[in-house]
Amino acid sequence: MFEEAQYFAPVATREDGSVVVELAASHPGVADPVYRERRNAIAALALNHTPGDPVPAVAYTEREHEVWALVARELAVKHRRYAATEYLRGCERLGLPSGRIPQLQEVGDLLAPLTGFRYLPAAGLVPLRDFYGVLADGLFYSTQYIRHHSVPFYTPEPDVLHEVLGHANALASDRFARLYRLAGAAARRVRTEEALEFVSKVFWFTLEFGVLAEDGEDRAYGAGILSSYGEIEEFRGMDIRPLDLAVMGTTTYDITKYQNVLFRAESLAHLEDVVGGFWESCDEETIARLLADSTVKQGQAGVISR
């Protein structure tokens, strides 16, 4: 229900050096001064982090740990029912704590021996090219705050539950980790903003909201689905289409609602072949052809509809 690395509350540094996170009027924590101060303090930790240093630790409160424990427990049940086998293998390999929020440094220390990935702290918005680009180096930008305790199964923005429960379990898989790295390499390779947007949309409809066929049913591997208590129950009822790079790279979506259009790979190998192959070699010329192909398809659809 949010766009990775883009749908964040703005973060500003005042003249006195203090950090403030501007929550929207509709945010569940906007009227809670304690929560707002926590958000400010956690954002400041990320802003003051020096690349190469250990990720600063957050002194999470008991209530914050309780939110993690509740959501992690409920999602674990849903994962066994709806998640792709390779994602479940990643969960087993990583062994995240279920009763407390793990520190990002701790998550990286668990991931590094498995797939080489580590986490970087993000106060809020990370520029699109930076967010995707560092994936090529085995780095993943992550927030450290957790959603408001009044609505533990909802967040209007990516929080540590999404970033870690959703993404880190996938990053513990060699096969998924390779796809993340390929996406990062593609983001660095392309030069235009149009091509970068195309690469990011393919990421959105796969590693964020991807579905694959397994044992005769649809299973989720996208972090956006697998970190959402509600969406994981609804995704099988959405408009699920075959993988199509031209369509995925040009399809618009509403970040405030459940994704009503999803794309299904026929297997993990199919995903690696189509999407991994695209990210491995794509450039402006490749994407220009796909954009032209998308225009043709849209025109044909218009003819058919008339």
Side-chain angles (χ1 to χ4, degrees), residues 128-137 178-200 202 245 274-287 289-290:
L128 202 63
R129 195 173 295 275
D130 294 339
F131 175 82
Y132 287 110
V134 299
L135 295 175
D137 300 324
R178 179 176 180 272
L179 288 172
Y180 278 79
R181 287 180 184 271
L182 290 173
R188 281 187 174 168
R189 188 184 313 115
V190 299
R191 299 180 303 277
T192 66
E193 293 305 308
E194 182 180 43
L196 178 61
E197 182 181 2
F198 192 101
V199 169
S200 72
V202 174
L245 291 169
V274 174
V275 176
F278 164 70
W279 282 330
E280 190 167 23
S281 61
C282 68
D283 55 20
E284 272 70 23
E285 184 177 347
T286 304
I287 292 172
R289 288 198 301 268
L290 288 167

Side-chain angles (χ1 to χ4, degrees), residues 11 18 23 92 175 229 287:
V11 179
S18 61
L23 301 183
E92 293 175 4
R175 297 175 74 176
Y229 179 84
I287 292 172

Side-chain angles (χ1 to χ4, degrees), residues 159-292:
D159 69 342
V160 71
L161 273 160
H162 167 72
E163 311 278 40
V164 175
L165 275 183
H167 284 290
N169 285 317
L171 290 170
S173 155
D174 292 312
R175 297 175 74 176
F176 283 131
R178 179 176 180 272
L179 288 172
Y180 278 79
R181 287 180 184 271
L182 290 173
R188 281 187 174 168
R189 188 184 313 115
V190 299
R191 299 180 303 277
T192 66
E193 293 305 308
E194 182 180 43
L196 178 61
E197 182 181 2
F198 192 101
V199 169
S200 72
K201 283 186 174 182
V202 174
F203 186 98
W204 175 264
F205 284 113
T206 55
L207 295 178
E208 279 292 352
F209 286 92
V211 176
L212 59 80
E214 191 171 274
D215 298 327
E217 60 184 2
D218 292 331
R219 288 186 169 267
Y221 65 87
I225 298 175
L226 293 170
S227 62
S228 172
Y229 179 84
E231 200 149 6
I232 197 171
E233 290 282 357
E234 301 292 334
F235 81 90
R236 285 178 174 170
M238 301 305 178
D239 177 8
I240 301 180
R241 305 175 184 180
L243 281 187
D244 187 317
L245 291 169
V247 177
M248 288 190 293
T250 55
T251 295
T252 58
Y253 47 85
D254 187 342
I255 62 179
T256 66
K257 299 178 180 179
Y258 289 169
Q259 299 306 300
N260 60 354
V261 174
L262 302 173
F263 294 86
R264 174 178 53 229
E266 294 311 309
S267 66
L268 181 52
H270 181 223
L271 176 71
E272 292 168 321
D273 181 50
V274 174
V275 176
F278 164 70
W279 282 330
E280 190 167 23
S281 61
C282 68
D283 55 20
E284 272 70 23
E285 184 177 347
T286 304
I287 292 172
R289 288 198 301 268
L290 288 167
L291 287 169

Side-chain angles (χ1 to χ4, degrees), residues 5 19 34 36 42 46 55 86-87 123 142 150 155 180 197-198 219 226 234 257 276:
V19 175
V34 174
R36 298 195 70 166
I42 292 171
V55 179
E86 185 66 17
Y87 179 88
S142 171
S150 64
T155 178
Y180 278 79
E197 182 181 2
F198 192 101
R219 288 186 169 267
L226 293 170
E234 301 292 334
K257 299 178 180 179

Side-chain angles (χ1 to χ4, degrees), residues 8 33 59 67 93 99 104 110 116-117 123 168 174 186 208 233 287 291-292:
F8 286 91
V67 171
R93 292 184 80 190
L104 293 189
L110 291 171
F117 263 88
D174 292 312
E208 279 292 352
E233 290 282 357
I287 292 172
L291 287 169

